[in-house]
Amino acid sequence: MSKLRFDVVQDAFKKKALDVETPVARPSEYFGELVFNRDKMRKYLKPSTYDALVACIEGDKALDRDIADQVAEGMKVWAMEHGVTHITHWFQPLTEGTAEKHDSFMEYDGKGGMIEEFNGKSLFQQEPDASSFPNGGIRATFEARGYTAWDPTSPVFIQGDTLCIPTVFISYTGEALDYKTPLKRALKAVCDAATPICQMFDPNVKKVYSYLGWEQEYFLVDEDFYAARPDLMLTGRTLMGHESSKNQQLDDHYFGAIPSRVAAFMRDIEIAGYRLGIPLKTRHNEVAPNQFELAPIYGETNLSNDQNQMIMNLMNDIARKHKFVLLLHEKPFAGINGSGKHNNWSLGTDTGTLLLAPGKDPLGNLQFVTFFVNVLMAVQKHNALLKASIATATNAHRLGANEAPPAIISSFLGKTMTEVLRKLLEMPSDTPIEIAGKTGASVGLIEIPEIFVDNTDRNRTSPFAFTGNRFEFRAVGSSANCAGAMTTLNAAVADQLLTFKADVDKEIAKGKPMTEAIMDVLKPMIADIIDTVCFDGNGYTEEWKEEAKRRGLDTEISVPEMIKEFTKPEAVEMFTRTGVYTKAELEARNEVKWEMYTKKVQIEARVLGRMAINHIIPAALTYKAKLLGIITQIKDIYPDSYKEMAKTEIKLLEKVTRLVEEIQDRVSAMVEARKAANKIENEYEKAKAYYDIAESLFAIRRPIDKLEEVVDNDMWPLPKYRELLFIS
């Protein structure tokens, strides 16, 4: 293990020396040192055991009990060399976070003493209480049994003194109760559907992989200010607060110099991430003040998603060490940009071919067009479902604002690819598709530029944009588990590929050559997607909303209504056909989503109501009393002209009185609406009622924010945006 040492280095670009912790070792020297990767497997396992485990990871066969015991013993030896004393099955329940129960290695040795022990049974399976996690009725309190089971494709890692074993989480009756299980099913589905199509172009292809590159946006606030804001502490966002005079309007924060405290935090994140094998690549200031971003190199989707969960946990812990609090809420502050987690998604083969990048020859280009068009067709068919996959109470504040993707799923292609698709419609089906610069151009050839990324503009208003060799699903929320969106996307693409392959086989059965059959199937799809889901314009405009309706795209903005998409017949058929979800799992997850939506809005409503009554109104009344005192004093001195002499104070008094009454009335109305909603038993109907309550919170906030501008600054009980948003 590389021992990290830290030196104090002097910043040569500043007169004042800064204390900066910097590792002497290069990141490449300690990358993955806390992960039981293949290098560790070779070192700590017998060759036969290593071969069996690799075969299991690559999907060839399961491990038997004896091999599992040998794997567990090797893991234990390695872990104990790093001071590990406990193990945990690390899983991802439907809470949007991770869960873990720690057990020590200690067991009786049968001789009156203790011994460290870890066997294959403990590695493979544990039994948490399934009824204590969100399950949508699949498990009741008196039916609590559930199981976690090791996922060998995601490496075991060390966190502190604990060996963390990534696992799936299922109920006693076999239903998935987590994010990982459906994701793995969806990845298998897209592999099974895409591989036969790839083999039409290259018989050597054995597998197709889904790739994910996430971009994690986040806010940092000083922990002292955080502690003085009950709304931030309890809901993750500010439920009140007038925007700062200066926020992001000068565009000076984006890509600006990173504040030294934040840079130190980022370095610690990177060091911790590298040790856990997370290939962090990018860091920078984001658009809003106190907003930042980090992103890794692409990886296989299941592993990349696990690493995102790991990094979010690390960021929470490390932020505290730097006297920050991490905010992953999609919209922690009004009036400035919120945070997303752009999911860059692609497909590739085990032969090294990226399926969403142009090929080296006409056949490779046809393969690219095949997958490109089928992905867009999947998005067209399931645009409402894809939106539902990212719909939450917190992400609802971000979607549709002039800073984030609109609540309409469309795809930006750019001028080059749009023209390519239109030309494909016009040319004969047997025309080769060439790459410019690779072969001589001739009449009728479709030329796809070799340097394709440079020929694709960016459209920040598009929720599903093509960016050269991948699609960027921009609508995913910053606090979300990527698996929700990735499961739906991969399942939808898999289902579309199955339909496509069946249609091509029918054309080939008629005697058509393969390439001609493929183009004959693709052409009607191309015409369909161009007229529906492809849109390169400004997604923020009202005109686009009307145009999207005319095109048949889903324009729903209510989260409870969006969630219903998962249990519509066409969605159930798609998910069951691909083996990703059962109908029971979909129904249960909808119950969980509606309940989660209700509870998050309910908490916000309670916090806002109590802060309004216990913090804001008392401060306003104190200021009102101060004004009354001033007016009384003026009246005592100038009884005949006090109204003129105290004109400003009287106007302020009247304004404060009016705003206080407005707050009181609106809070009272919200509380009554909440009481009525709480009596509703059906989770969907209750969520709909709470959607209206969520909208009413803005009506309560408005007079509070106006009061903030009026009440004496010394009397205002909360840190203001100008204090929260600028790190010193």
Side-chain angles (χ1 to χ4, degrees), residues 201-493:
F201 299 93
D202 180 2
N204 296 316
V205 173
K206 299 294 187 293
K207 282 187 178 181
V208 171
Y209 299 100
S210 168
Y211 295 104
L212 168 65
W214 41 265
E215 302 170 22
Q216 181 69 62
E217 295 176 341
Y218 61 94
F219 281 85
L220 294 173
V221 295
D222 283 293
E223 61 180 14
D224 290 341
F225 289 137
Y226 174 84
R229 292 287 310 221
D231 48 355
L232 270 181
M233 293 178 67
L234 297 176
T235 73
R237 75 180 182 108
T238 53
L239 299 173
M240 59 188 71
H242 199 285
E243 65 181 75
S244 173
S245 300
K246 178 186 181 298
N247 45 52
Q248 67 185 49
Q249 63 265 52
L250 297 179
D251 300 321
D252 55 343
H253 187 68
Y254 189 54
F255 278 24
I258 300 171
S260 57
R261 285 179 61 200
V262 177
F265 161 79
M266 289 176 169
R267 282 194 294 275
D268 284 352
I269 288 292
E270 289 173 348
I271 292 169
Y274 293 153
R275 298 185 74 198
L276 287 168
I278 303 173
L280 296 174
K281 181 73 172 179
T282 301
R283 65 187 187 195
H284 62 81
N285 290 2
E286 255 300 334
V287 174
N290 279 21
Q291 187 186 36
F292 309 95
E293 180 183 297
L294 59 79
I297 300 171
Y298 277 65
E300 185 275 328
T301 297
N302 178 49
L303 176 58
S304 183
N305 184 64
D306 282 357
Q307 290 176 339
N308 182 241
Q309 294 296 303
M310 292 159 64
I311 209 71
M312 288 196 292
N313 291 337
L314 282 173
M315 290 166 73
N316 269 310
D317 294 340
I318 294 174
R320 287 292 192 172
K321 294 179 181 178
H322 290 267
K323 306 301 181 183
F324 290 129
V325 173
L326 176 76
L327 301 180
L328 291 176
H329 193 289
E330 283 74 11
K331 190 73 171 177
F333 303 101
I336 60 173
N337 280 19
S339 295
K341 178 151 49 193
H342 304 167
N343 280 204
N344 294 276
W345 173 85
S346 187
L347 295 172
T349 69
D350 58 346
T351 60
T353 300
L354 280 177
L355 297 176
L356 293 175
K360 303 284 185 188
D361 53 36
L363 198 63
N365 290 330
L366 179 59
Q367 179 175 256
F368 157 65
V369 171
T370 295
F371 281 92
F372 180 78
V373 172
N374 273 281
V375 170
L376 291 170
M377 195 67 195
V379 175
Q380 190 263 1
K381 285 183 178 178
H382 300 288
N383 73 96
L385 192 62
L386 285 168
K387 184 168 66 177
S389 74
I390 53 86
T392 64
T394 54
N395 205 24
H397 297 292
R398 169 177 165 262
L399 293 179
N402 285 354
E403 58 172 86
I408 301 167
I409 301 298
S410 64
S411 186
F412 166 82
L413 305 185
K415 182 180 179 181
T416 300
M417 269 315 299
T418 301
E419 289 179 354
V420 166
L421 292 183
R422 294 192 185 280
K423 287 181 180 179
L424 287 171
L425 286 177
E426 300 168 358
M427 75 179 197
S429 294
D430 58 355
T431 306
I433 306 174
E434 302 284 2
I435 298 179
K438 286 293 184 183
T439 59
S442 61
V443 177
L445 293 185
I446 304 300
E447 296 183 355
I448 302 175
E450 182 180 1
I451 307 175
F452 195 78
V453 175
D454 294 338
N455 287 274
T456 306
D457 202 353
R458 297 189 67 197
N459 186 329
R460 295 179 62 85
T461 74
S462 177
F464 197 83
F466 185 64
T467 55
N469 56 11
R470 62 193 183 276
F471 283 94
E472 184 179 14
F473 196 3
R474 294 173 51 84
V476 183
S478 54
S479 67
N481 188 314
C482 299
M486 289 295 98
T487 297
T488 300
L489 175 59
N490 281 284
V493 171

Side-chain angles (χ1 to χ4, degrees), residues 672-705:
E672 292 304 312
R674 204 173 70 224
K675 288 179 180 178
N678 290 342
K679 295 177 182 178
I680 301 172
E681 294 186 4
N682 180 276
E683 291 294 349
Y684 164 63
E685 295 295 338
K686 183 183 287 188
K688 282 206 307 180
Y690 265 95
Y691 174 78
D692 293 333
I693 292 170
E695 293 299 301
S696 75
L697 301 188
F698 295 103
I700 297 172
R701 176 179 188 146
R702 279 191 290 270
I704 293 175
D705 291 355

Side-chain angles (χ1 to χ4, degrees), residues 448-650:
I448 302 175
E450 182 180 1
I451 307 175
F452 195 78
V453 175
D454 294 338
N455 287 274
T456 306
D457 202 353
R458 297 189 67 197
N459 186 329
R460 295 179 62 85
T461 74
S462 177
F464 197 83
F466 185 64
T467 55
N469 56 11
R470 62 193 183 276
F471 283 94
E472 184 179 14
F473 196 3
R474 294 173 51 84
V476 183
S478 54
S479 67
N481 188 314
C482 299
M486 289 295 98
T487 297
T488 300
L489 175 59
N490 281 284
V493 171
D495 191 62
Q496 172 56 34
L497 291 174
L498 291 172
T499 300
F500 171 78
K501 181 63 165 62
D503 290 343
V504 170
D505 288 345
K506 290 177 185 176
E507 296 300 311
I508 292 176
K510 296 175 184 178
K512 292 182 181 179
M514 180 195 76
T515 55
E516 185 176 341
I518 288 173
M519 282 306 305
D520 283 347
V521 174
L522 286 177
K523 282 186 175 181
M525 294 165 55
I526 292 171
D528 197 0
I529 60 177
I530 286 177
D531 291 337
T532 54
V533 76
C534 297
F535 177 67
D536 286 0
N538 186 350
Y540 296 155
T541 65
E542 292 298 318
E543 290 79 9
W544 166 234
K545 294 177 184 177
E546 295 302 317
E547 172 65 19
K549 288 180 183 178
R550 287 193 293 272
R551 293 187 182 196
L553 298 178
D554 185 83
T555 58
E556 181 62 61
I557 60 172
S558 164
V559 170
E561 293 295 335
M562 293 180 198
I563 293 168
K564 282 185 72 176
E565 292 293 330
F566 279 100
T567 48
K568 288 186 175 179
E570 56 271 27
V572 174
E573 290 171 11
M574 184 274 287
F575 281 123
T576 55
R577 190 162 50 239
T578 53
V580 174
Y581 289 117
T582 66
K583 183 179 180 182
E585 287 172 335
L586 288 167
E587 291 172 344
R589 281 162 194 265
N590 270 18
E591 292 291 306
V592 170
K593 288 173 182 289
W594 283 320
E595 183 181 11
M596 195 68 70
Y597 177 87
T598 293
K599 287 180 177 178
K600 287 187 176 181
V601 177
Q602 185 183 67
I603 291 169
E604 287 190 352
R606 287 175 172 172
V607 171
L608 178 58
R610 289 168 184 170
M611 288 181 69
I613 301 303
N614 297 330
H615 289 68
I616 304 306
I617 289 181
L621 294 179
T622 300
Y623 183 55
K624 184 177 177 180
K626 180 178 180 180
L627 291 172
L628 282 168
I630 294 172
I631 294 168
T632 300
Q633 290 175 351
I634 293 173
K635 185 178 181 181
D636 288 342
I637 300 172
Y638 305 102
D640 296 329
S641 58
Y642 80 93
K643 290 184 179 180
E644 182 62 28
M645 298 288 289
K647 182 167 60 176
T648 299
E649 289 82 355
I650 292 172

